[in-house]
Amino acid sequence: MKAQLIVVYGKPRNTVKTLPLGYCLIGRGDECQVRTSSPLVSRQHCLIHFTGESAVLRDLGSTNGTLVNGKRILADHGLVPGDLVQIGPVVFEFHDGSVESKGSSPTVRVDPTTKVSTTDMPAIQVSEPLAPHSADFNSDEKRHQPA
């Protein structure tokens, strides 16, 4: 199974990030595999653990939280195809390769408390993945320190 995050709100829109097996760190820090420039995103905002069979999203104690389908997650959350993951003003759609996209954009619901103009959308950057076992996904010792 091939998992992907597709930017559906933010710049550059429709950017596709294929998730590596193992861990993918998302935030604005240089160490993140998926980076955004938005100050509403923590340096180490959230983490996706992809096993090839499943993808689990964890918020790393971010200031503004991580939302899935418009609801803030408070614990590990298993992602399913079509889930909308909001990190600050950026929204990704999760795909696992099991359902082909019909080429139409999903309806994107952005948290109304997030104030952002379309001209100031954050840019998304992608980098190399973490090694599959570079972090202990179940460890609370490496929890995010607020930005």
Side-chain angles (χ1 to χ4, degrees), residues 7 11 26 44 83 96 120 130 142:
V7 178
K11 288 184 181 176
I26 302 172
Q44 293 184 354
D83 274 350
D96 72 358
D120 295 329
L130 291 172
K142 296 182 182 180

Side-chain angles (χ1 to χ4, degrees), residues 13-136:
R13 188 165 185 213
N14 297 321
T15 298
V16 177
K17 169 60 178 167
T18 299
L19 298 176
L21 284 175
Y23 302 94
C24 181
L25 187 59
I26 302 172
R28 59 182 169 80
D30 290 338
E31 68 280 11
C32 296
Q33 288 71 53
V34 177
R35 289 191 299 272
T36 179
S37 59
S38 173
L40 297 173
V41 175
S42 296
R43 279 181 247 140
Q44 293 184 354
H45 197 95
C46 62
L47 184 71
I48 296 177
H49 182 223
F50 179 57
T51 65
E53 299 296 322
S54 67
V56 177
L57 175 67
R58 173 182 286 178
D59 183 82
L60 296 175
S62 64
T63 302
N64 295 312
T66 301
L67 288 76
V68 175
N69 301 324
K71 296 181 182 175
R72 188 172 185 159
I73 62 168
L74 301 174
D76 289 1
H77 182 89
L79 294 173
V80 297
D83 274 350
L84 296 176
V85 178
Q86 182 177 344
I87 300 161
V90 180
V91 180
F92 298 95
E93 183 174 4
F94 175 75
H95 289 271
D96 72 358
S98 64
V99 178
E100 291 299 319
S101 173
K102 303 291 184 209
S104 62
S105 296
T107 301
V108 178
R109 294 175 299 279
V110 177
D111 180 1
T113 62
T114 302
K115 307 235 185 300
V116 64
S117 78
T118 56
T119 58
D120 295 329
M121 286 189 212
I124 303 297
Q125 300 174 334
V126 295
S127 65
E128 293 303 312
L130 291 172
H133 302 289
S134 64
D136 181 7

